[in-house]
Amino acid sequence: MLHRILRAGVFALAFVTASAADAQADRFSGYGDTVQSPCRRWTTITPSDSTDLTEVPKAIYVGGAGDVAMIGVDAPAAATGVTWKAVPAASLLPARARRVLATGTTATSIVGCF
């Protein structure tokens, strides 16, 4: 009898703690989010010569082939940037940039991955 009560109690606890947010389980939610981990969210990047990104991405996706000019997160304040030449379409650059520059960037469909 005690076995049945405990079993029912565990079921009730699992049932009570489940919510609409749990409808899609994330089996990896307990793991740390590192630079090597898959992206959990993303946003379009608009290249700018004067404005830093609002958040440093863990990687940059380039949808349309071309050059990507950027300044790295740890570059000195006066850095002018480096251009990654001839980046193929559908590339994921393992670059943590603080700014993607308009001047020198010919690639399109640039997305920051976080």
Side-chain angles (χ1 to χ4, degrees):
M1 181 74 162
L2 180 59
H3 178 68
R4 285 184 181 205
I5 293 171
L6 288 176
R7 181 184 272 168
V10 170
F11 176 73
L13 179 61
F15 181 73
V16 170
T17 59
S19 68
D22 294 326
Q24 183 180 24
D26 181 358
R27 293 179 22 203
F28 304 101
S29 64
Y31 291 86
D33 188 20
T34 67
V35 170
Q36 295 87 4
S37 301
C39 299
R40 297 174 56 97
R41 60 188 173 81
W42 37 87
T43 187
T44 301
I45 291 178
T46 302
S48 170
D49 290 336
S50 60
T51 304
D52 286 343
L53 301 171
T54 55
E55 186 177 357
V56 175
K58 65 170 73 178
I60 295 175
Y61 173 80
V62 177
D67 297 345
V68 180
M70 62 181 98
I71 300 174
V73 66
D74 291 329
T80 57
V82 172
T83 301
W84 295 50
K85 301 294 273 179
V87 177
S91 291
L92 189 63
L93 301 176
R96 301 197 62 224
R98 76 166 188 249
R99 183 181 306 166
V100 176
L101 301 166
T103 301
T105 296
T106 59
T108 59
S109 302
I110 301 172
V111 176
C113 303
F114 304 92

